[in-house]
Amino acid sequence: MKKVLYIEDNEQNLYLVRFILEKHGYEVLSALDGREGIDLAAAVKPDLILLDIQLPLMDGYSVARQLRANADLASIPIVAVTSYAMAGDRDKALAAGCNGYIEKPINPDTFMQQVESHL
């Protein structure tokens, strides 16, 4: 069973993504802020990290950069899942170390295809 870590502070978004991923056979771990997410990633080495950009304490860009700086975690795919949808936001997420970008609100019909393209 593949493990997905979702770093997200919004309970509704977390619930929806967890529901969809678990329905498709994934184990979902969650962290409510960037620091907790980095620590959990180091402890469990997930197969994929889904990362909100608007987080308390430290934004998702900083989280992605710290994950990429850790040699044990650098190869884990990171996908930004964010409501930041302005011109340049995707490029900013990719420049910070994300492998992909999914806009919120997520589309349940295409979400799994988007996620699985990074696994």
Side-chain angles (χ1 to χ4, degrees):
M1 180 181 288
K2 291 201 182 279
K3 285 185 272 195
V4 176
L5 170 59
Y6 188 22
I7 306 172
E8 167 66 73
D9 63 321
N10 180 296
E11 293 288 339
Q12 288 178 315
N13 292 335
L14 190 56
Y15 175 82
L16 177 61
V17 167
R18 177 184 298 280
F19 177 81
I20 293 169
L21 289 169
E22 287 179 348
K23 186 175 137 191
H24 286 87
Y26 291 87
E27 178 182 352
V28 180
L29 308 153
S30 60
L32 297 175
D33 66 62
R35 181 82 259 144
E36 181 186 355
I38 292 167
D39 293 344
L40 192 54
V44 302
K45 310 267 189 320
D47 297 291
L48 176 70
I49 298 170
L50 299 176
L51 175 62
D52 184 28
I53 298 299
Q54 285 181 276
L55 292 168
L57 309 178
M58 136 191 317
D59 69 25
Y61 303 121
S62 299
V63 173
R65 284 190 288 272
Q66 286 199 22
L67 291 167
R68 288 292 172 238
N70 180 331
D72 290 338
L73 306 175
S75 66
I76 298 171
I78 302 170
V79 177
V81 181
T82 182
S83 57
Y84 282 6
M86 300 294 288
D89 288 334
R90 179 186 185 92
D91 293 337
K92 193 172 176 184
L94 297 176
C98 293
N99 301 87
Y101 181 91
I102 299 172
E103 285 182 26
K104 289 180 194 169
I106 66 165
N107 178 341
D109 296 328
T110 60
F111 181 71
M112 282 312 303
Q113 181 182 352
Q114 292 172 301
V115 166
E116 288 176 343
S117 72
H118 295 284
L119 287 167

